[in-house]
Amino acid sequence: MEVLIASFQAMTWKSLVMFVIGGILIYLAIKKDYEPLLLLPIGFGAILANIPFSSAISENGFLTILYKAGIHTELFPVLIFIAIGAMIDFGPLLQQPFMLFFGAAAQFGIFMTALLARGLGFTLKEAVSIGIIGAADGPTSIYVANLFAGKLLGPITVAAYSYMSLVPLIQPPVIKALTTPEERRISMDLNLHKVSKTTRILFPIVVTMVAGLIAPMSVALVGSLMFGNLIRECGVLDRLSKAAQNELSNLVTLLLGITIGSTMVAEEFLTWKTIMILLMGLFAFIFDTAGGVLFAKFLNLFLPRKINPMIGAAGISAFPMSARVIQKLAQKENPGNFVLMQAVGANVAGQVGSILAAGVLIYLVSALGL
Amino acid sequence: MSDNMVTTLRILLQSLAGTFFGMVIIYAAIKLLVKYFPEDKEDN
């Protein structure tokens, strides 16, 4: 009889809180449709990890094996990037390469948040991992956190994916606070030139080489993203492209979520650090948005033909949500205004910018030898 | 190198500069690609 009630006796209030947190994540995924592909498996993984004596996270438990094979080795984020690369159409960016600079400016949140985290007492490696939430890119956050702050992987991932799903709520008030209705009504050029197939094929190869030479530590991320894109654009690997977009993406997402959830063990998750990380994640997204908008406004001081500054906010890599938010805001001010192509261009530039920023940061921090 | 606020600030500024530098190079690369490989006959 004692054996049967041993688990109940081993339960603590912390385990119960983690069950509630797991339940909330599942609720948000199902009822609110907040990143259900990730939040539901994460929520369930958190429940599995907090059942006393859980065989799922024992030495040879399936989640332990998945963690060692997929997260510790960084394999899952890299595989996800192949899938994302196969899904992204870089056409709008190739038509307006200027949008790349918004993809860099909207990484401002990374730097502000990392600085804040360091000021709050986190180590440099932890601060950088928390700052990367501002990349608005789940796999990049997982990649960096696992490299520099494995113990913070759970809260960082939850923050990254939660705020990505909340982009439609976070960005509009920040944009409205920093722009005037006249600025939001600025229309953009609709006559964009066509991009040749050769350019589309060469783009992923060139970006991989450039990013790799600037930040060798970014090769795994950029290389996998661009490999996926090359499969998509080459025109002779449709089967593989579809497999990457569907089967690979679905399978890895499924395993990634539940494995991340398994790291949310009460003793490590229920700390002040987690609450601070969740708050700083919000801070990161707000500063990303502000950085993009203010950079566009700065450029408008010099440009003969003004840019709608809201497009700067689409430079975060929460794709394609951010671009849709910007288009919606533009049409609210002027129903005939169509800025979606420019916003999508900035949005995919954000994908490149976030990986590049992460690669440069990994390179610089690793070089310190701390 | 010690883990302090000055080091953090230096690293962050360097990475911000590195990110913009990378984007400038990629921008130039795209401009060259678009210039030397305009619409080709295979495109429909």
Side-chain angles (χ1 to χ4, degrees):
Chain A
M1 189 63 188
E2 265 184 32
V3 176
L4 290 176
I5 59 168
S7 292
F8 288 97
Q9 286 174 332
M11 286 271 284
T12 63
W13 68 269
K14 285 185 173 180
S15 318
L16 290 173
V17 172
M18 289 310 296
F19 292 158
V20 172
I21 290 174
I24 290 172
L25 292 177
I26 294 171
Y27 170 82
L28 291 174
I30 297 172
K31 282 285 180 188
K32 301 285 180 184
D33 203 29
Y34 289 170
E35 292 283 335
L37 287 174
L38 262 304
L39 290 192
L40 191 144
I42 290 176
F44 196 73
I47 293 172
L48 288 180
N50 287 285
I51 294 174
F53 315 120
S54 169
S55 63
I57 57 161
S58 63
E59 198 184 342
N60 293 313
F62 84 102
L63 291 178
T64 309
I65 292 169
L66 283 175
Y67 179 83
K68 285 180 186 167
I71 305 287
H72 188 65
T73 59
E74 307 275 22
L75 184 64
F76 286 168
V78 166
L79 290 177
I80 285 280
F81 268 119
I82 295 177
I84 294 173
M87 289 178 200
I88 292 183
D89 175 6
F90 281 106
L93 174 63
L94 295 171
Q95 288 171 317
Q96 321 143 83
F98 194 70
M99 295 299 150
L100 273 168
F101 299 110
F102 296 125
Q107 308 307 319
F108 189 59
I110 296 178
F111 308 102
M112 290 303 290
T113 310
L115 207 56
L116 174 70
R118 188 67 191 81
L120 288 172
F122 287 89
T123 65
L124 174 61
K125 286 185 172 179
E126 287 174 339
V128 165
S129 305
I130 294 165
I132 291 289
I133 295 172
D137 181 351
T140 304
S141 296
I142 294 168
Y143 191 91
V144 177
N146 183 55
L147 205 62
F148 288 153
K151 288 200 183 271
L152 304 181
L153 183 62
I156 286 174
T157 309
V158 170
Y161 280 107
S162 301
Y163 293 127
M164 273 164 63
S165 68
L166 292 175
V167 158
L169 297 178
I170 297 171
Q171 287 205 307
V174 180
I175 293 169
K176 283 184 181 170
L178 295 172
T179 54
T180 62
E182 289 73 35
E183 285 175 322
R184 296 197 290 274
R185 278 196 282 270
I186 294 175
S187 61
M188 300 296 294
D189 187 7
L190 292 175
N191 297 317
L192 300 173
H193 63 85
K194 208 176 166 208
V195 177
S196 71
K197 189 175 173 182
T198 313
T199 300
R200 284 174 177 272
I201 291 172
L202 288 174
F203 173 73
I205 300 170
V206 170
V207 169
T208 304
M209 291 174 68
V210 170
L213 289 170
I214 293 169
M217 302 295 276
S218 70
V219 170
L221 295 177
V222 177
S224 51
L225 181 79
M226 292 300 156
F227 172 60
N229 193 250
L230 183 60
I231 290 174
R232 173 197 173 96
E233 300 295 351
C234 70
V236 292
L237 292 175
D238 276 356
R239 224 177 68 201
L240 291 191
S241 173
K242 281 179 186 150
Q245 291 178 45
N246 298 295
E247 289 85 354
L248 180 69
S249 166
N250 290 340
L251 190 61
V252 182
T253 301
L254 174 81
L255 298 178
L256 180 73
I258 199 164
T259 312
I260 293 293
S262 76
T263 67
M264 292 165 62
V265 179
E267 280 65 33
E268 285 169 19
F269 193 84
L270 294 178
T271 63
W272 281 107
K273 279 188 173 179
T274 298
I275 294 168
M276 284 199 280
I277 289 168
L278 292 175
L279 290 174
M280 282 188 283
L282 179 61
F283 180 86
F285 274 65
I286 290 172
F287 270 86
D288 277 345
T289 306
V293 172
L294 293 176
F295 183 68
K297 286 177 71 129
F298 174 72
L299 291 179
N300 276 347
L301 296 175
F302 310 100
L303 294 173
R305 178 164 184 173
K306 307 294 179 205
I307 295 170
N308 188 319
M310 291 197 295
I311 288 166
I316 70 169
S317 72
F319 178 83
M321 236 176 310
S322 186
R324 284 189 198 142
V325 168
I326 304 307
Q327 172 59 23
K328 219 170 158 183
L329 281 174
Q331 279 192 320
K332 209 171 167 185
E333 292 295 339
N334 173 10
N337 203 0
F338 191 77
V339 299
L340 188 64
M341 288 312 281
Q342 282 78 10
V344 169
N347 219 176
V348 295
Q351 187 73 60
V352 178
S354 65
I355 295 177
L356 194 59
V360 175
L361 270 172
I362 293 170
Y363 183 62
L364 291 170
V365 174
S366 302
L368 285 178
L370 292 171
Chain B
M1 187 74 65
S2 58
D3 181 354
N4 56 36
M5 202 64 181
V6 178
T7 309
T8 306
L9 196 57
R10 195 171 59 80
I11 291 285
L12 291 174
L13 286 174
Q14 280 181 342
S15 60
L16 191 59
T19 305
F20 267 95
F21 175 68
M23 290 306 218
V24 169
I25 306 281
I26 294 171
Y27 173 79
I30 294 177
K31 281 284 190 190
L32 287 174
L33 285 175
V34 172
K35 183 179 176 187
Y36 289 105
F37 301 100
E39 269 183 57
D40 39 33
K41 284 178 185 173
E42 289 81 11
D43 288 348
N44 290 311

